[in-house]
Amino acid sequence: MKTIRNRLLLLLAGVFLSLTINAQTGVICGNVSDAKLNEPLIGASVVISGTTTGVVTDLDGNFRIENVTPGTYAVSVSYVSYQTQVIPSVKVVARQEAVVNVKLSDADLQLQNVVVVAQRKLGTEMAVLNTVRNSLPVMNGISSQQIAKTQDSDAAEVLRRIPGITIIDDRFIVVRGLAQRYNSVWLNNATTPSSETDSRAFSFDVLPSSLIDNMMVYKSPSPELPADFAGGFVRVMTKNIPDGNSYSFQYQAGFNTNASFKTFKLTNRLGADYFGFGAGGRMLPGNAPAHLNDVSPETAAAFTKQINQRWGVKTFTALPEQKLSFTMNRSFNMGDMRIGNVTSVNYSTGYDYYEMENNRYQSYDMVNNTSRYDNHYFDEAYKNTTKLGALFNWSLLAGNSKYEFRNFFNQRGTSSLIQREGTDYYSDLDVRYWESLYTGRTTYSGQLSGEHRFAEDVNKLDWTVGYSYANYNEPDRKDVYSKRNPDGSAMPYRVDEAKRYYQELNDNGFSAGTNYEHKLKVNDLFSPVIYGGLYGEYKTRDFKARRFGYNMLGNGYDRNADWEYSHLFTSANMGADKIYLIENTNKSDSYTSDNFLGAGYVSARLNYGEKLNANVGVRVEYYNLKLDGYEPDGVKPVNLDQSTTDLFPSVNVSYNFNEKHQLRLAYGRSVNRAEFREIVPYVYYDFERFANISGNAQLKNAYANNLDIRYEFYPSAGETVSLGGFYKGFNDPIEQTYHEAGSGVQYTFMNADRSEALGLELDVKKQLDFIGLKDLSFVFNGAIIHSKVYFEEGSFERNRPMQGQSPYLINTGLFYQNDNNGLSASVLFNRIGKRIETVGIPKQNPNDDIPDVYEMPRNSLDLSFSKKIGKMVEIKGGVKDLLNAKITYNQFLDITDPAGNTQTVNQLIRSYRPGVTLNVGVSVKF
């Protein structure tokens, strides 16, 4: 593998050297604005004099004319009711941008019935860069144009490219080192439901990268943003307004070194599995008894036979990952209206396999100075994931109004099989655990929105109504436990226990919001803007689960098994005197909950000329949470009805030294509320961790004070260098902890007393032509973060970093882009520092601590390459995770022996390699 890596790296170096040829054209770009109001002019015409080459400005007043032959030109800029301006002697140099910023003056013309139809484009790197530059809250973003240069297949992978962002479990985000629970996510202009049963998180891997127009991450509070975030507020905008009519088709194959063309194992599958809808065929039948313990053994045995299916394991050869997508863009005029539609359908299916060491430890053996296993296991995990998605977006532009109707749907089905083998030292047994699991996730998000401008853009009103739905279905999870005495003989494993488990979660979300802005003109130096808005959100959750075990009586059947259980669980072996299901469900296995959020805000954007700008305001939020469930014993009810009303002030200030240098300062107060699952005392078994997870009804809201400072330097168009610092102070931060529970451990959620996080962020995006590397650009973003959780004096707890926080983050890469030859390539590197995955439990004697579990640092290197063939075809290829570094979780125990000597003991918890993936694909656009 090392030889292959070296050859690939040498090959990539050769590609970059061979591609650095001279481009023959340049670019004219810039901005057009009103000379008095300093506001962008929408739809202004920018034309190279004496030619038909030109463009119109977007909603930000930006324009860009590409592929201009080097030379000197006159550029004409015109707009209805403004004096036309001609800029002479615009010099265009090959491979460079000639920046022209124009301010037009009023022509004092009385024109009527003139309609300008234009749309704001945020899918380009320049547009996102301008949005970040002009925003008062501290933020970062990424455009669809930049996404296209990577091998990122979904939104989770895209987010890694944004400064201060990392990904856990391949789908959840960490912003500035703060775990996913501290982040808030909106899809377009509405909230997204959590698709997980045990965490407050949006699963970003359900959104294909090809459907993203732009992603913005706000890092400082602002009155118009929801207050429930301390790490970052992520707004994902899907593609909606096409430039014209087109069709595109994409196909990609992915070859994973762990799985592709290898022998694979899964339980017998359904036809619907191939489209992600397999959960429906595995659910309990409609005539299932309300509770099996309320019926006779004979009835229970008959029901056991009725649902006795898919115990057999099928062995086959895993095919490479397959990805298909089709997108249609339509745009047409209807009178004075411009109507656009983006329709996209995407499908993917792929296989994953890994071998994992999986351990748990007893108290340290001080006598022999060695760690002692409690459980020492090795897992083989087989997984097939299928995703089917669709996007159906409409837009209508009519005069000064814009209407949008957005729809996003994703269906994800995952079939998995895990075989675990090892030694249970607590019971002194050789054991095997076997789990067959299918999970189905359905996500839908829809919004209807409008934007209206009045009195020549003096007033603007926008509104959005939205609905979201998330379903998580885990039907018929099968767990089998087998054991034998560890005497070193070839004694077979005997099935000791078998379970089946069903659960379904349904979330519904309704939202509505409106925002209003009014521009004032006091004098040439002071033009404030007043903002106000309302937002309402109502969410409901319904969760139901049923647990079953097998009663194994009598004789006449063989309980010995070697990873194959279909011979044991056959209809012939089922009966009231042999094998039948018994039910362990109680009232704690179901709960209902809902919450209501009502919010309003007022703010003002204040300025002193063009240099000093500030956004000052306050947001008020009323939050009500209700939950009805039971304690784990199923006897004592848990009924919560909690309400809070809070004020969240914020100030965001920017000072523009000149067009290239800017300084930002920000303060804001925010909240982090407990999610449904974190407060309900329902207990769920996590097979990978072989531990239970439960909620905590005593959780309190966490509050944070946030400070930011950032210096920004814009050397030239498309380039940026920023250096920022931030501080966050938390009261009652919420963290996931674990503790001993009988012979195992149990995870739950707790409030710490207080915590702090202090960090520095650096973001660099720079062309390398100044050192002779034409068409090459360098991107770097990184962060250094220090955090600490404090506890009351005298507590067993000891100060430590916050859960989920990394001490450093690094994302960097080289991009090659030659538009003339249609060639592009990239090298992208990512690394995160050691961070706490789960908080342990300190004891009075530190030698007896249950240590924190850390996710260890890991290097990731991705390569990509693309070549356009003509105007319609593009070939793409790449290598994902070339280094194939281990994903490792460790715990560190500080030991003091009787002589007073100290040492730190490193204990491995989990470790595996995900494999290298080679991608090759083709896209056709016409």
Side-chain angles (χ1 to χ4, degrees):
M1 179 60 73
K2 186 175 181 180
T3 301
I4 294 175
R5 292 176 196 161
N6 292 336
R7 288 178 178 175
L8 284 171
L9 289 171
L10 288 172
L11 175 63
L12 180 77
V15 169
F16 273 107
L17 290 174
S18 65
L19 295 182
T20 53
I21 60 176
N22 292 328
Q24 300 300 316
T25 61
V27 174
I28 300 175
C29 61
N31 181 270
V32 181
S33 60
D34 183 290
K36 291 183 179 179
L37 300 176
N38 199 35
E39 293 290 334
L41 294 179
I42 307 166
S45 175
V46 183
V47 178
I48 298 176
S49 299
T51 74
T52 59
T53 302
V55 294
V56 295
T57 57
D58 62 20
L59 210 72
D60 291 317
N62 297 319
F63 68 90
R64 185 178 181 86
I65 305 174
E66 297 183 339
N67 300 321
V68 182
T69 303
T72 302
Y73 300 90
V75 177
S76 174
V77 183
S78 60
Y79 192 65
V80 175
S81 79
Y82 284 79
Q83 297 175 5
T84 297
Q85 195 174 140
V86 178
I87 298 87
S89 304
V90 176
K91 187 177 181 179
V92 176
V93 179
R95 303 178 302 278
Q96 293 185 18
E97 293 179 339
V99 180
V100 180
N101 294 319
V102 181
K103 295 183 180 297
L104 295 183
S105 299
D106 195 335
D108 284 332
L109 297 177
Q110 302 296 320
L111 299 181
Q112 297 179 344
N113 300 325
V114 176
V115 177
V116 178
V117 177
Q119 63 261 11
R120 187 179 191 181
K121 299 177 182 179
L122 285 175
T124 66
E125 290 185 58
M126 182 65 72
V128 168
L129 191 63
N130 286 337
T131 299
V132 171
R133 183 175 181 175
N134 295 327
S135 170
L136 284 175
V138 176
M139 64 181 295
N140 293 95
I142 191 168
S143 67
S144 59
Q145 187 179 34
Q146 188 173 352
I147 293 169
K149 299 177 183 179
T150 72
Q151 284 291 300
D152 298 337
S153 62
D154 56 51
E157 295 179 354
V158 170
L159 278 163
R160 291 186 304 165
R161 315 299 175 193
I162 298 178
I165 307 295
T166 53
I167 300 297
I168 60 174
D169 295 336
D170 292 327
R171 61 185 187 272
F172 304 129
I173 65 166
V174 171
V175 181
R176 287 179 162 177
L178 295 172
Q180 67 264 26
R181 62 155 303 99
Y182 288 100
N183 306 313
S184 184
V185 182
W186 278 17
L187 183 60
N188 299 312
N189 292 307
T191 185
T192 59
S194 174
S195 57
E196 304 301 305
T197 58
D198 294 299
S199 62
R200 177 186 187 263
F202 175 70
S203 187
F204 280 93
D205 62 339
V206 303
L207 182 60
S209 61
S210 60
L211 302 184
I212 299 171
D213 187 62
N214 66 84
M215 300 177 73
M216 299 295 185
V217 179
Y218 297 82
K219 298 179 180 179
S220 67
S222 190
E224 71 276 9
L225 304 178
D228 193 3
F229 78 91
F233 169 66
V234 182
R235 175 176 277 149
V236 184
M237 300 299 292
T238 56
K239 294 179 178 178
N240 195 42
I241 303 176
D243 294 327
N245 298 329
S246 66
Y247 300 89
S248 64
F249 174 82
Q250 294 180 331
Y251 169 77
Q252 178 178 293
F255 303 84
N256 182 271
T257 55
N258 279 6
S260 299
F261 301 118
K262 303 291 180 65
T263 300
F264 216 78
K265 297 179 181 179
L266 288 174
T267 52
N268 295 331
R269 306 180 68 190
L270 299 173
D273 292 1
Y274 296 96
F275 299 95
F277 289 94
R282 293 174 168 85
M283 297 175 67
L284 287 171
N287 62 350
H291 200 288
L292 272 189
N293 294 356
D294 295 333
V295 300
S296 67
E298 290 75 16
T299 302
F303 176 72
T304 304
K305 291 182 180 180
Q306 182 183 354
I307 64 170
N308 186 48
Q309 51 194 349
R310 282 176 295 281
W311 282 103
V313 175
K314 181 181 179 182
T315 301
F316 58 97
T317 299
L319 295 175
E321 181 183 37
Q322 307 292 310
K323 293 184 177 180
L324 298 165
S325 68
F326 170 78
T327 302
M328 178 183 70
N329 296 309
R330 302 293 295 171
S331 180
F332 56 93
N333 294 322
M334 185 178 292
D336 291 335
M337 298 183 298
R338 184 73 171 172
I339 299 175
N341 170 250
V342 178
T343 299
S344 181
V345 179
N346 57 85
Y347 172 84
S348 69
T349 185
Y351 295 90
D352 294 297
Y353 170 81
Y354 59 84
E355 298 174 355
M356 179 169 67
E357 185 175 350
N358 204 343
N359 302 318
R360 188 182 293 153
Y361 297 85
Q362 302 178 37
S363 297
Y364 192 76
D365 185 348
M366 298 295 298
V367 175
N368 297 304
N369 192 27
T370 185
S371 295
R372 297 184 301 169
Y373 288 115
D374 199 3
N375 308 96
H376 184 42
Y377 298 147
F378 292 91
D379 295 359
E380 283 188 278
Y382 303 85
K383 182 184 293 185
N384 169 242
T385 300
T386 299
K387 302 175 188 176
L388 179 65
L391 179 138
F392 189 61
N393 289 350
W394 287 90
S395 61
L396 187 151
L397 304 173
N400 293 322
S401 295
K402 176 175 68 175
Y403 302 88
E404 295 180 327
F405 181 45
R406 299 176 184 260
N407 297 272
F408 168 75
F409 170 84
N410 182 269
Q411 180 66 37
R412 170 178 169 158
T414 301
S415 181
S416 63
L417 177 68
I418 299 178
Q419 297 179 167
R420 173 176 298 153
E421 185 171 10
T423 303
D424 182 347
Y425 289 91
Y426 183 89
S427 303
D428 194 24
L429 292 169
D430 285 344
V431 299
R432 281 181 173 178
Y433 291 91
W434 179 92
E435 181 188 64
S436 172
L437 172 66
Y438 186 92
T439 59
R441 289 182 174 93
T442 303
T443 303
Y444 169 77
S445 176
Q447 300 100 38
L448 178 64
S449 63
E451 179 182 300
H452 314 280
R453 297 173 181 268
F454 310 98
E456 296 183 352
D457 282 355
V458 172
N459 300 309
K460 186 178 79 170
L461 175 72
D462 66 68
W463 53 269
T464 302
V465 293
Y467 169 73
S468 63
Y469 171 74
N471 169 270
Y472 179 88
N473 200 342
E474 192 174 289
D476 199 13
R477 185 179 85 185
K478 300 182 178 75
D479 293 334
V480 179
Y481 166 63
S482 305
K483 64 182 182 180
R484 72 178 183 187
N485 292 322
D487 57 6
S489 68
M491 179 180 179
Y493 285 87
R494 177 179 171 84
V495 174
D496 185 71
E497 185 180 27
K499 299 177 181 179
R500 294 173 76 168
Y501 177 82
Y502 298 78
Q503 74 166 26
E504 185 174 14
L505 175 150
N506 288 285
D507 278 359
N508 289 275
F510 307 86
S511 62
T514 183
N515 301 281
Y516 173 76
E517 72 172 55
H518 178 70
K519 299 175 183 177
L520 300 172
K521 179 71 172 180
V522 178
N523 54 47
D524 291 339
L525 292 178
F526 186 48
S527 302
V529 183
I530 308 301
Y531 301 91
L534 298 171
Y535 179 76
E537 174 185 295
Y538 178 66
K539 291 183 179 180
T540 66
R541 170 171 289 189
D542 181 67
F543 177 84
K544 295 179 180 178
R546 296 186 69 172
R547 309 171 188 266
F548 300 94
Y550 277 91
N551 202 358
M552 300 183 187
L553 305 175
N555 300 308
Y557 52 90
D558 185 8
R559 291 173 64 170
N560 294 333
D562 186 22
W563 297 124
E564 175 60 53
Y565 306 102
S566 58
H567 73 280
L568 175 60
F569 298 103
T570 65
S571 296
N573 291 340
M574 294 177 181
D577 58 346
K578 291 185 178 181
I579 300 175
Y580 66 90
L581 286 171
I582 57 175
E583 187 158 2
N584 302 312
T585 307
N586 66 30
K587 292 182 178 179
S588 70
D589 292 312
S590 298
Y591 68 90
T592 59
S593 54
D594 63 77
N595 67 38
F596 172 75
L597 172 68
Y601 75 90
V602 292
S603 65
R605 179 165 182 155
L606 309 174
N607 75 299
Y608 184 76
E610 297 182 4
K611 289 187 174 293
L612 183 63
N613 288 274
N615 187 24
V616 182
V618 64
R619 184 180 183 91
V620 59
E621 290 192 352
Y622 167 80
Y623 183 78
N624 175 255
L625 172 66
K626 295 179 180 178
L627 182 142
D628 295 303
Y630 282 83
E631 293 284 357
D633 59 11
V635 176
K636 184 179 179 181
V638 175
N639 303 110
L640 298 179
D641 189 348
Q642 303 173 343
S643 297
T644 58
T645 302
D646 296 292
L647 293 175
F648 300 99
S650 62
V651 179
N652 291 272
V653 180
S654 70
Y655 183 79
N656 299 305
F657 297 96
N658 51 46
E659 289 187 353
K660 292 188 175 183
H661 299 271
Q662 183 171 252
L663 180 68
R664 297 180 185 274
L665 295 169
Y667 163 77
R669 183 172 184 259
S670 60
V671 65
N672 181 228
R673 301 184 178 98
E675 185 69 6
F676 292 141
R677 179 62 187 91
E678 295 169 341
I679 60 174
V680 68
Y682 162 73
V683 178
Y684 174 78
Y685 181 74
D686 186 311
F687 187 86
E688 181 177 301
R689 299 180 181 181
F690 46 101
N692 289 320
I693 301 174
S694 67
N696 177 7
Q698 305 304 315
L699 278 182
K700 297 180 290 185
N701 290 341
Y703 292 89
N705 288 295
N706 309 273
L707 292 170
D708 278 271
I709 181 171
R710 187 161 83 174
Y711 163 73
E712 298 171 353
F713 171 48
Y714 299 91
S716 63
E719 297 183 337
T720 179
V721 178
S722 68
L723 177 65
F726 64 88
Y727 168 83
K728 295 179 181 294
F730 295 86
N731 291 320
D732 303 314
I734 300 172
E735 299 184 310
Q736 187 179 71
T737 67
Y738 74 116
H739 61 274
E740 293 175 332
S743 61
V745 298
Q746 182 159 313
Y747 291 78
T748 188
F749 304 90
M750 301 289 290
N751 289 104
D753 183 40
R754 63 187 180 90
S755 64
E756 294 178 333
L758 183 68
L760 289 173
E761 291 179 321
L762 175 64
D763 184 24
V764 178
K765 185 181 296 184
K766 182 74 177 115
Q767 298 292 324
L768 298 181
D769 51 1
F770 71 100
I771 56 174
L773 297 176
K774 309 298 184 182
D775 303 319
L776 276 175
S777 62
F778 170 71
V779 172
F780 174 88
N781 57 73
I784 300 174
I785 308 165
H786 172 76
S787 74
K788 183 177 286 188
V789 180
Y790 297 92
F791 298 93
E792 296 179 3
E793 197 166 332
S795 169
F796 292 160
E797 301 274 5
R798 289 174 284 281
N799 297 342
R800 54 165 173 77
M802 293 181 65
Q803 180 215 348
Q805 177 265 315
S806 297
Y808 62 87
L809 319 168
I810 298 173
N811 289 299
T812 188
L814 284 171
F815 292 90
Y816 173 83
Q817 185 80 24
N818 188 315
D819 293 330
N820 288 333
N821 295 328
L823 290 169
S824 67
S826 68
V827 183
L828 299 169
F829 173 80
N830 169 262
R831 180 179 171 89
I832 62 170
K834 183 178 74 173
R835 59 188 176 190
I836 296 177
E837 183 223 22
T838 304
V839 175
I841 300 295
K843 300 296 181 69
Q844 186 171 9
N845 181 355
N847 291 349
D848 297 327
D849 281 358
I850 300 177
D852 304 328
V853 176
Y854 283 86
E855 181 181 358
M856 302 304 293
R858 180 177 187 270
N859 297 324
S860 175
L861 184 67
D862 297 342
L863 315 177
S864 67
F865 173 84
S866 69
K867 166 64 177 173
K868 291 184 178 179
I869 302 174
K871 296 182 178 181
M872 298 173 56
V873 180
E874 183 175 11
I875 305 296
K876 287 188 175 184
V879 183
K880 181 180 176 183
D881 204 0
L882 175 64
L883 304 178
N884 195 23
K886 281 188 176 181
I887 297 174
T888 303
Y889 297 85
N890 288 355
Q891 62 185 26
F892 299 88
L893 185 62
D894 294 323
I895 297 297
T896 304
D897 64 22
N901 300 315
T902 62
Q903 63 173 317
T904 299
V905 178
N906 184 349
Q907 298 176 330
L908 175 65
I909 300 299
R910 297 189 302 276
S911 179
Y912 67 95
R913 295 185 189 273
V916 179
T917 301
L918 291 84
N919 296 311
V920 60
V922 60
S923 64
V924 180
K925 184 176 181 179
F926 54 93

